[in-house]
């Protein structure tokens, strides 16, 4: 009786329906132009979901590999690892990529923002320059110092 119960619960757990869950390990990626960049997406779902990437405001679908993109999927049971490699990064490649997973239980998506880096600066897909975030501690330190000096005169 124990073995029958164990086997039944094991069998049901293997074939239960699982709504797609998506995990993106790195949600903001910076890379220099001309480099190859890899975006990763981890999915857990059963039945096996339709998994794909999209890019930009128009949601251009990226299903298959080509000269610009290399798409790969590794499966192990109800887990999938969806990977997108972008070759020779150009300014037009910068922006928001979304990982999608669709089955009977739902169709969630998660995003990755890809921005370009050049020396100690970064720029986003709109081409606006911004300073490296490493300068923030210095700015904060100076602000606290000035604030304390002003407070000491009051």
């Amino acid at each position: 009786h124990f073995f029958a119960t164990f086997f039944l619960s094991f069998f049901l757990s293997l074939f239960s329906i699982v709504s797609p869950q998506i995990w993106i390990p790195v949600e903001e990626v910076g890379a220099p132009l001309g480099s190859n960049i890899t975006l990763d997406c981890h999915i857990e779902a059963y039945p096996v979901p339709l998994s794909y990437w999209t890019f930009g405001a128009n949601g251009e679908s990226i299903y298959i590999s080509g000269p610009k993109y290399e798409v790969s999927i590794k499966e192990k049971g109800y887990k999938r690892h969806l990977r997108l490699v972008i070759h020779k990064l150009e300014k037009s490649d910068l922006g928001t990529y979304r990982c999608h997973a669709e089955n009977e239980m739902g169709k969630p998506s998660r995003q990755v923002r890809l921005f370009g880096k050049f020396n100690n600066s970064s720029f986003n897909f709109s081409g606006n320059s911004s300073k490296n975030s490493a300068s923030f501690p210095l700015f904060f330190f100076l602000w606290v110092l000035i604030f304390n000096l002003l407070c000491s005169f009051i």
Side-chain angles (χ1 to χ4, degrees), residues 18-95:
V18 179
S19 175
Q21 302 296 314
I22 300 175
W23 175 62
I24 302 286
V26 181
E27 295 177 344
E28 290 197 359
V29 178
L33 296 180
S35 65
N36 294 342
I37 188 74
T38 301
L39 306 179
D40 290 299
C41 176
H42 298 274
I43 302 166
E44 295 184 1
Y46 188 85
V48 174
L50 170 64
S51 307
Y52 59 96
W53 290 94
T54 58
F55 171 64
N58 296 336
E60 172 190 341
S61 296
I62 306 168
Y63 287 104
I64 57 173
S65 296
K68 187 66 181 173
Y69 301 114
E70 182 181 330
V71 181
S72 64
I73 301 174
K74 291 183 182 177
E75 294 184 35
K76 186 173 184 182
Y78 64 94
K79 296 181 180 184
R80 291 185 130 196
H81 178 190
L82 186 59
R83 176 170 278 172
L84 176 65
V85 178
I86 304 164
H87 297 285
K88 297 179 183 174
L89 189 65
E90 299 173 5
K91 193 172 180 180
S92 61
D93 299 322
L94 305 178

